mmCIF file of all heavy atoms in Angstrom:
data_model
loop_
_atom_site.group_PDB
_atom_site.id
_atom_site.type_symbol
_atom_site.label_atom_id
_atom_site.label_comp_id
_atom_site.label_asym_id
_atom_site.label_seq_id
_atom_site.Cartn_x
_atom_site.Cartn_y
_atom_site.Cartn_z
ATOM 1 N N ARG A 217 23.012 -21.437 13.775
ATOM 2 C CA ARG A 217 21.802 -22.098 13.275
ATOM 3 C C ARG A 217 20.972 -22.553 14.459
ATOM 4 O O ARG A 217 21.457 -23.271 15.326
ATOM 5 C CB ARG A 217 22.171 -23.281 12.377
ATOM 6 C CG ARG A 217 20.960 -23.896 11.704
ATOM 7 C CD ARG A 217 21.329 -24.722 10.498
ATOM 8 N NE ARG A 217 21.811 -26.053 10.845
ATOM 9 C CZ ARG A 217 22.945 -26.582 10.416
ATOM 10 N NH1 ARG A 217 23.758 -25.888 9.630
ATOM 11 N NH2 ARG A 217 23.308 -27.795 10.763
ATOM 12 N N SER A 236 25.620 -20.656 2.601
ATOM 13 C CA SER A 236 24.174 -20.876 2.710
ATOM 14 C C SER A 236 23.875 -22.275 3.232
ATOM 15 O O SER A 236 22.929 -22.476 3.985
ATOM 16 C CB SER A 236 23.468 -20.630 1.372
ATOM 17 O OG SER A 236 23.804 -21.634 0.460
ATOM 18 N N LYS A 237 24.722 -23.223 2.880
ATOM 19 C CA LYS A 237 24.500 -24.594 3.365
ATOM 20 C C LYS A 237 24.721 -24.671 4.873
ATOM 21 O O LYS A 237 23.954 -25.308 5.599
ATOM 22 C CB LYS A 237 25.426 -25.569 2.629
ATOM 23 C CG LYS A 237 25.095 -27.011 2.953
ATOM 24 C CD LYS A 237 25.812 -28.006 2.075
ATOM 25 C CE LYS A 237 25.347 -29.414 2.420
ATOM 26 N NZ LYS A 237 25.984 -30.423 1.596
ATOM 27 N N MET A 238 25.757 -23.986 5.375
ATOM 28 C CA MET A 238 26.005 -23.978 6.826
ATOM 29 C C MET A 238 24.870 -23.279 7.563
ATOM 30 O O MET A 238 24.482 -23.660 8.658
ATOM 31 C CB MET A 238 27.336 -23.272 7.134
ATOM 32 C CG MET A 238 28.542 -24.142 6.881
ATOM 33 S SD MET A 238 30.060 -23.394 7.506
ATOM 34 C CE MET A 238 30.538 -22.376 6.141
ATOM 35 N N VAL A 240 21.588 -22.817 6.573
ATOM 36 C CA VAL A 240 20.251 -23.422 6.498
ATOM 37 C C VAL A 240 20.296 -24.927 6.796
ATOM 38 O O VAL A 240 19.292 -25.530 7.143
ATOM 39 C CB VAL A 240 19.619 -23.161 5.102
ATOM 40 C CG1 VAL A 240 18.199 -23.675 5.021
ATOM 41 C CG2 VAL A 240 19.639 -21.682 4.767
ATOM 42 N N GLY A 241 21.495 -25.541 6.641
ATOM 43 C CA GLY A 241 21.608 -26.974 6.910
ATOM 44 C C GLY A 241 21.269 -27.836 5.713
ATOM 45 O O GLY A 241 21.125 -29.047 5.827
ATOM 46 N N ARG A 242 21.137 -27.209 4.528
ATOM 47 C CA ARG A 242 20.881 -27.982 3.300
ATOM 48 C C ARG A 242 21.288 -27.104 2.125
ATOM 49 O O ARG A 242 21.538 -25.910 2.288
ATOM 50 C CB ARG A 242 19.385 -28.331 3.170
ATOM 51 C CG ARG A 242 18.494 -27.116 3.108
ATOM 52 C CD ARG A 242 17.019 -27.470 2.961
ATOM 53 N NE ARG A 242 16.176 -26.280 3.123
ATOM 54 C CZ ARG A 242 15.917 -25.404 2.162
ATOM 55 N NH1 ARG A 242 16.448 -25.549 0.955
ATOM 56 N NH2 ARG A 242 15.141 -24.368 2.389
ATOM 57 N N ASN A 243 21.323 -27.675 0.921
ATOM 58 C CA ASN A 243 21.633 -26.862 -0.258
ATOM 59 C C ASN A 243 20.439 -25.977 -0.592
ATOM 60 O O ASN A 243 19.287 -26.404 -0.498
ATOM 61 C CB ASN A 243 21.955 -27.760 -1.459
ATOM 62 C CG ASN A 243 23.307 -28.429 -1.277
ATOM 63 O OD1 ASN A 243 24.234 -27.814 -0.753
ATOM 64 N ND2 ASN A 243 23.415 -29.681 -1.691
ATOM 65 N N VAL A 244 20.730 -24.738 -0.985
ATOM 66 C CA VAL A 244 19.649 -23.796 -1.313
ATOM 67 C C VAL A 244 19.709 -23.491 -2.802
ATOM 68 O O VAL A 244 20.775 -23.294 -3.371
ATOM 69 C CB VAL A 244 19.820 -22.477 -0.504
ATOM 70 C CG1 VAL A 244 18.817 -21.435 -0.957
ATOM 71 C CG2 VAL A 244 19.662 -22.753 0.982
ATOM 72 N N ASN A 245 18.540 -23.474 -3.430
ATOM 73 C CA ASN A 245 18.456 -23.168 -4.852
ATOM 74 C C ASN A 245 18.313 -21.659 -5.029
ATOM 75 O O ASN A 245 17.317 -21.072 -4.621
ATOM 76 C CB ASN A 245 17.233 -23.903 -5.424
ATOM 77 C CG ASN A 245 17.159 -23.759 -6.933
ATOM 78 O OD1 ASN A 245 18.024 -23.139 -7.544
ATOM 79 N ND2 ASN A 245 16.132 -24.327 -7.528
ATOM 80 N N VAL A 439 18.013 -16.746 3.039
ATOM 81 C CA VAL A 439 17.915 -17.413 1.729
ATOM 82 C C VAL A 439 16.929 -18.575 1.712
ATOM 83 O O VAL A 439 16.211 -18.764 0.735
ATOM 84 C CB VAL A 439 19.286 -17.914 1.204
ATOM 85 C CG1 VAL A 439 20.092 -16.776 0.663
ATOM 86 C CG2 VAL A 439 20.066 -18.658 2.255
ATOM 87 N N GLY A 440 16.885 -19.350 2.798
ATOM 88 C CA GLY A 440 15.956 -20.483 2.824
ATOM 89 C C GLY A 440 14.503 -20.017 2.781
ATOM 90 O O GLY A 440 13.669 -20.556 2.042
ATOM 91 N N ALA A 441 14.202 -18.976 3.556
ATOM 92 C CA ALA A 441 12.837 -18.440 3.592
ATOM 93 C C ALA A 441 12.486 -17.759 2.268
ATOM 94 O O ALA A 441 11.353 -17.870 1.780
ATOM 95 C CB ALA A 441 12.699 -17.449 4.746
ATOM 96 N N GLU A 443 13.603 -18.528 -0.694
ATOM 97 C CA GLU A 443 13.343 -19.611 -1.655
ATOM 98 C C GLU A 443 11.898 -20.095 -1.491
ATOM 99 O O GLU A 443 11.168 -20.286 -2.472
ATOM 100 C CB GLU A 443 14.342 -20.740 -1.364
ATOM 101 C CG GLU A 443 14.213 -21.956 -2.253
ATOM 102 C CD GLU A 443 15.084 -23.120 -1.754
ATOM 103 O OE1 GLU A 443 15.243 -23.302 -0.522
ATOM 104 O OE2 GLU A 443 15.603 -23.834 -2.611
#
Side-chain angles (χ1 to χ4, degrees):
R217 187 161 80 232
S236 70
K237 188 170 184 179
M238 281 190 274
V240 184
R242 60 179 171 83
N243 288 323
V244 173
N245 186 1
V439 283
E443 179 189 35

